Amino acid sequence: MTHTTTQGTQAAGQTPCAIRHRESIIGTYRTEVAIAVAIALLALAVGSQVPQALSWGNFANVTQAGAPLIIMSLGVLLVVITGGIDLSVGSVFSLTGMVTAQAMAYGYGGVAASMFGLGVGLVFGSINGFLVTIAGLAPFVVTLITFAVAGSLAFIVTNGRSMPIPDPDFWLLNSGSLIPGLPNYILFCLVLLVAIEIFLKKMVAGRWFYAVGSSAAAAYLLGIPVKRTKFFAYVASSLLASFSGLLTISYILNAESTAGSSLMLQAIAAVVIGGASLLGGTGTAVGAVLGALMITVIQNGVNLIGINSFWQGSVTGLAILIAVVIDRFSKSRRGAG
Amino acid sequence: MKNKLTTALILTAAIVGAGVGLTGVQAEEKKTVAYLAPSLDISYWQWVGYGVKKKAEELGMDYVEYTSENSPAKQMDNARTAVTKGVDAIVIGPVSSTSTPPLLAYLKSQNIPIAFAGIGPQPGQTDYTSSVTANNYETGKAQGSFVCKLAKDRGGSKVGMLSLPQDRENAQKYLKGAKEAFATDGCELAQMLETRGLTVNEAVTQANDMLTAHPDIKAIYGMYDEAGTGAAKILETRGLTGKVGIAVADGSPTTIGLLKANAIQGIFFQEAVGQGLDGTQQVFNALTDAPVTKDLALVMPLVTADKVDSPEAKAVVARVFPPSN
């Protein structure tokens, strides 16, 4: 199939260099292309049942609903590439919302309150990073602990009550437009996607993440700062979880202590659907974003068609299974080739 | 002199001894009520607890609180712990109706009165002192009629519903009542979506998707408080505030704010504090051999935007959530 494409492009008069470049991109993003096709097919299938699914309005719904998961998934991806796991992101997400809302209730403005919120991410990310790298504890155990602590604090901050956001302009963070015509929630997703993808693929420090995830011992022998790389991954993961929490409370103008309870598993699922291995060493930002989009499209489709929402988990599980099988099949073919 | 001193000491000792004894008797007589909440991450169960505590204070009872963390096993453990620690009565918001038979059998063997609040016992069970719940069927019916009227006032007859999980008995009763009202009043339930997480965020997404699939929906029936908040948010985003009506069950400071802003047209208040107050009163009655009402199905009063500041509405709200909210 690739051969046919090459012939076609040669016929179009492109240089061999351009063809090789395109093939290289397709080869690098083979899994991501498959996910994008799957999302398109899924959307078409839903659209055949509910035509409004393919409307521009629904596209906006899906992207706005999916933006927090996309951003959280990008953070989780960084940890997963290094061979770790971050179970605390959902709780950090919730705690960020509660702290920010409480800060506003104490009279702080939206920007200052958001700094408090991001501080939650910084603190919990640093704790995770410290315990994993310096104390040498297992990432699963460490982030399970911080998941429990942050989740508990989310209740303690406001005694379990949900908090309305008192700053009338706070919605601008999510739904405003720093660039005219482009809602902020899309802008943030795009900027983070491009920045993280370039960081991972084009920058030396980004390549360290893959090296650490493939073999921390080998990376250490090569002089790669393994601990610093892992520490940075956990801090980035928590900070992005906090930012997605801010984005959510800006959208719904309400903070809830249980808001992030289902997001942690979704974020990990998104990363896996996107082609990352939980063993570390693989994964792309494009894949994570597409994985998050696929989960959001599934949720959207289930709602539009009117299927009982309890099926969402099963459908998402099936999507993960298909993605993993495709990825494995694709890798084995590449290996055989 | 020595005799006088001895006499004074004996008298002092007697008085102190009597005092200590009396205090001991009083302490022995002070009853303790335990509140077993299914979880305290939902405001509703905190508010029931507030009602139990408030009534306990009024009645001179001590108050202790246990959380079952949505686990029937933990609920049973909590009941045993409470009995071991010597509580005299229990008010419970059970994890589920079906989780209660072994608990009731145990408390009967220990001769401990128990009142249900919010969620009742499993049908067929009788070994309880009192059950103070909302009348979900009648409320579902009344809310269904109100929602249908909202739709018709807006030139349509299609309504959407953001439902509690339908594996809950109270949700089934709400739905049954609502469907009957829709059939009677000439409205069509275009779509019902069930919540999983009971969060505003989920309700926002569901309301958005529902309106995308059924743009001709003219009113939304929210079966729980967060549904109302989420639906109101989406109507605001779509510029449909007031053009699509919303009626919600439960009630909270957030939805009252939305009611005052005309983003929601009606709230059917579930008297969380009231259920705690009434449940505690019933177990106290059982302890003091006063008359007990076995089943109290509280009506969920409707408060509309135009009446939200009336004294009647304020009296209702006082039985919904604590004043600190």
Side-chain angles (χ1 to χ4, degrees), chain A residues 50 52-53 55 58 61 64-65 93 155 159-162 164 171 248 250-254 256-259 261 266 299-300 302-310 312-313, chain B residues 40-43 46-47 165-167 191-202 204-206 208-210 212-215 226 229 233-234 236-238 254 324-325:
Chain A
V50 184
Q52 296 91 329
S55 65
N58 193 49
N61 291 349
Q64 191 161 23
F93 174 100
F155 287 103
N159 203 18
R161 283 180 289 129
S162 66
W171 65 274
T248 298
S250 161
Y251 176 37
I252 62 174
L253 295 178
N254 199 66
E256 298 168 285
S257 41
T258 54
S261 52
Q266 288 182 15
Q299 290 170 344
N300 177 254
V302 164
N303 284 344
L304 289 180
I305 295 172
I307 301 169
N308 188 316
S309 59
F310 292 159
Q312 278 176 11
Chain B
L40 288 173
D41 55 359
I42 293 174
S43 300
Q46 295 173 26
W47 299 345
Q166 281 295 320
D167 58 345
Q191 189 174 20
M192 178 186 81
L193 291 174
E194 296 173 51
T195 180
R196 291 191 301 168
L198 280 158
T199 63
V200 174
N201 199 20
E202 184 191 38
V204 164
T205 305
Q206 290 192 333
N208 209 4
D209 292 343
M210 195 161 70
T212 301
H214 301 277
E226 290 81 0
T229 311
K233 168 65 197 165
I234 276 309
E236 185 197 352
T237 305
R238 289 176 169 243
T254 305
S324 61
N325 287 269

Side-chain angles (χ1 to χ4, degrees), chain B residues 16-245:
Chain B
V16 170
V20 169
L22 194 60
T23 311
V25 170
Q26 279 175 341
E28 214 169 83
E29 282 179 352
K30 194 169 188 186
K31 306 288 186 190
T32 301
V33 60
Y35 169 51
L36 270 58
S39 67
L40 288 173
D41 55 359
I42 293 174
S43 300
Y44 186 85
W45 296 115
Q46 295 173 26
W47 299 345
V48 172
Y50 171 82
V52 175
K53 192 175 183 182
K54 193 175 174 210
K55 181 56 82 175
E57 283 169 7
E58 279 176 31
L59 297 170
M61 300 174 87
D62 283 331
Y63 169 86
V64 288
E65 186 176 273
Y66 297 89
T67 310
S68 305
E69 292 165 16
N70 292 315
S71 158
K74 183 87 189 282
Q75 178 176 273
M76 193 68 199
D77 290 346
N78 284 340
R80 287 182 183 277
T81 305
V83 171
T84 306
K85 289 180 87 173
V87 303
D88 300 283
I90 287 176
V91 175
I92 185 172
V95 169
S96 65
S97 300
T98 51
S99 69
T100 56
L103 182 89
L104 292 178
Y106 170 69
L107 292 177
K108 187 184 179 190
S109 72
Q110 301 296 314
N111 204 23
I112 302 287
I114 177 170
F116 285 83
I119 298 173
Q122 182 170 288
Q125 292 287 310
T126 54
D127 293 332
Y128 59 92
T129 309
S130 183
S131 173
V132 187
T133 56
N135 191 329
N136 303 118
Y137 169 71
E138 288 299 338
T139 305
K141 217 168 167 180
Q143 191 176 346
S145 281
F146 184 73
V147 168
C148 188
K149 185 176 178 303
L150 289 177
K152 292 198 165 176
D153 288 347
R154 286 156 179 77
S157 61
K158 287 195 175 178
V159 298
M161 183 182 282
L162 297 175
S163 168
L164 288 166
Q166 281 295 320
D167 58 345
R168 292 189 187 184
E169 197 190 343
N170 61 339
Q172 292 163 13
K173 287 178 179 172
Y174 272 130
L175 181 61
K176 186 171 185 284
K179 278 184 171 174
E180 285 180 18
F182 294 152
T184 307
D185 299 346
C187 275
E188 181 194 339
L189 179 58
Q191 189 174 20
M192 178 186 81
L193 291 174
E194 296 173 51
T195 180
R196 291 191 301 168
L198 280 158
T199 63
V200 174
N201 199 20
E202 184 191 38
V204 164
T205 305
Q206 290 192 333
N208 209 4
D209 292 343
M210 195 161 70
L211 288 168
T212 301
H214 301 277
D216 48 355
I217 282 175
K218 291 294 177 189
I220 295 174
Y221 181 120
M223 209 181 272
Y224 57 101
D225 201 64
E226 290 81 0
T229 311
K233 168 65 197 165
I234 276 309
L235 294 190
E236 185 197 352
T237 305
R238 289 176 169 243
L240 291 173
T241 302
K243 292 174 187 164
V244 174

Side-chain angles (χ1 to χ4, degrees), chain A residues 10-328:
Chain A
Q10 276 177 328
Q14 291 189 16
T15 64
C17 182
I19 294 163
R20 273 199 299 278
H21 180 62
R22 180 182 293 182
E23 282 181 346
S24 162
I25 289 175
I26 291 174
T28 306
Y29 292 102
R30 192 186 295 256
T31 306
E32 290 77 0
V33 170
I35 300 163
V37 171
I39 292 172
L41 290 175
L42 198 60
L44 287 173
V46 176
S48 69
Q49 301 292 312
V50 184
Q52 296 91 329
L54 301 176
S55 65
W56 174 252
N58 193 49
F59 171 76
N61 291 349
V62 169
T63 46
Q64 191 161 23
L69 179 61
I70 287 171
I71 291 170
M72 185 184 281
S73 302
L74 286 169
V76 171
L77 171 77
L78 295 174
V79 173
V80 167
I81 289 176
T82 63
I85 191 83
D86 190 350
L87 304 178
S88 67
V89 285
S91 294
V92 168
F93 174 100
S94 302
L95 180 59
T96 298
M98 301 311 284
V99 165
T100 307
Q102 188 68 288
M104 285 187 202
Y106 282 138
Y108 289 96
V111 176
S114 298
M115 291 301 121
F116 281 108
L118 289 174
V120 169
L122 190 63
V123 168
F124 274 89
S126 301
I127 292 170
N128 286 338
F130 176 81
L131 291 176
V132 169
T133 58
I134 308 298
L137 300 178
F140 188 93
V141 175
V142 168
T143 57
L144 191 63
I145 292 165
T146 46
F147 156 79
V149 173
S152 161
L153 289 175
F155 287 103
I156 291 168
V157 169
T158 62
N159 203 18
R161 283 180 289 129
S162 66
M163 293 271 298
I165 301 299
D167 185 340
D169 295 327
F170 199 64
W171 65 274
L172 287 165
L173 176 69
N174 183 297
S175 308
S177 293
L178 288 170
I179 297 175
L182 185 68
N184 285 344
Y185 59 88
I186 294 181
L187 176 69
F188 292 140
C189 290
L190 287 176
V191 168
L192 285 166
L193 165 64
V194 172
I196 292 174
E197 190 69 10
I198 289 175
F199 172 73
L200 288 173
K201 297 287 181 190
K202 302 290 180 191
M203 295 176 76
V204 174
R207 303 302 300 173
W208 290 348
F209 280 68
Y210 292 104
V212 168
S214 296
S215 171
Y220 179 76
L221 291 174
L222 286 169
I224 293 171
V226 174
K227 287 182 177 176
R228 208 193 316 159
T229 303
K230 284 187 175 180
F231 186 87
F232 178 80
Y234 284 98
V235 171
S237 176
S238 280
L239 271 175
L240 288 174
S242 276
F243 185 62
S244 62
L246 287 178
L247 215 54
T248 298
I249 62 168
S250 161
Y251 176 37
I252 62 174
L253 295 178
N254 199 66
E256 298 168 285
S257 41
T258 54
S261 52
S262 64
L263 280 175
M264 173 260 286
L265 284 177
Q266 288 182 15
I268 294 171
V271 167
V272 173
I273 290 172
S277 165
L278 290 179
L279 297 174
T282 60
T284 65
V286 176
V289 168
L290 288 171
L293 268 179
M294 177 172 257
I295 289 172
T296 312
V297 168
I298 289 170
Q299 290 170 344
N300 177 254
V302 164
N303 284 344
L304 289 180
I305 295 172
I307 301 169
N308 188 316
S309 59
F310 292 159
W311 282 99
Q312 278 176 11
S314 300
V315 178
T316 307
L318 191 64
I320 296 171
L321 179 66
I322 292 169
V324 170
V325 168
I326 289 173
D327 190 45
R328 190 168 189 136

